[in-house]
Amino acid sequence: DTQTNPGVAKGLTQKAADDNVFAIFGPVFSGSIMVSMAESQRAEIPNFTGGEAASITAQGNPYVFRTSFGQSTSFPKVARYIKEQLKAQTVDVIYINNDFGKGGRDEFLKAAQALGLKIGADVSTDQNQLDFSAAVLKAKQSSGDVLFAYTNEEESARLLRELRKQGYAKPVVGDTTIINQKTIELAGEAANGVVGHVALTADA
């Protein structure tokens, strides 16, 4: 258990290397794998991760294997869905200010702008943030047609509850985390109607 803490993840990866393991699975949190993968590379141990930050594999570490689509693969699909299926002209963005969120925000903006989508509100939030009222208010006051939300599971649930509380009525689109089972359980009915991109089918 890395406790979603990059320092703990690095220490556990060092311990795994000292134990001469054959392979390492995880961590899945982008900020943690960014720190710990140097240790698995130093020990020449294959390291599998579900982390999606584009910068993970962009570093060229030959021992890191991503088990899911990276942001640079997923987000053009998300942006195209928003443009073509939802007929949006302007997109508001609420993202979490960590390696995962910043990387995702940057990739999404690049993909959206390539399709001619305008960016309205561009709102940074913090990890472990409890109050999303100001972030939601900025999105409500924006002229955006759709909200792209990209935060971790617990923060996604809090964001969704606040969106419903403030009567936000525009489409909400995200990636895997916003429709993760943990997010749905924590958000309850506030998760109804939210759309997210998942690289694999539920059957897979």
Side-chain angles (χ1 to χ4, degrees), residues 91-155:
V91 185
D92 298 319
V93 178
I94 295 179
Y95 67 98
I96 191 165
N97 189 15
N98 60 18
D99 289 315
F100 165 77
K102 288 185 287 190
R105 175 227 179 236
D106 293 348
E107 289 294 327
F108 178 77
L109 262 55
K110 190 172 16 170
Q113 290 164 344
L115 291 171
L117 284 164
K118 296 187 184 110
I119 305 302
D122 185 12
V123 185
S124 170
T125 62
D126 294 321
Q127 198 167 315
N128 300 319
Q129 184 166 320
L130 300 176
D131 183 0
F132 282 83
S133 56
V136 169
L137 187 60
K138 286 179 185 171
K140 275 186 73 177
Q141 292 173 340
S142 172
S143 60
D145 306 306
V146 173
L147 173 63
F148 175 69
Y150 198 63
T151 59
N152 296 121
E153 286 86 349
E154 290 183 17
E155 291 83 356

Side-chain angles (χ1 to χ4, degrees), residues 39-61:
E39 300 305 319
S40 53
Q41 180 178 13
R42 190 173 294 114
E44 300 183 347
I45 298 170
N47 197 165
F48 297 85
T49 182
E52 295 184 357
S55 52
I56 294 169
T57 48
Q59 295 183 37
N61 181 334

Side-chain angles (χ1 to χ4, degrees), residues 12-23:
L12 290 173
T13 304
Q14 288 169 330
K15 182 181 182 313
D18 291 343
D19 290 344
N20 295 311
V21 299
F22 178 74

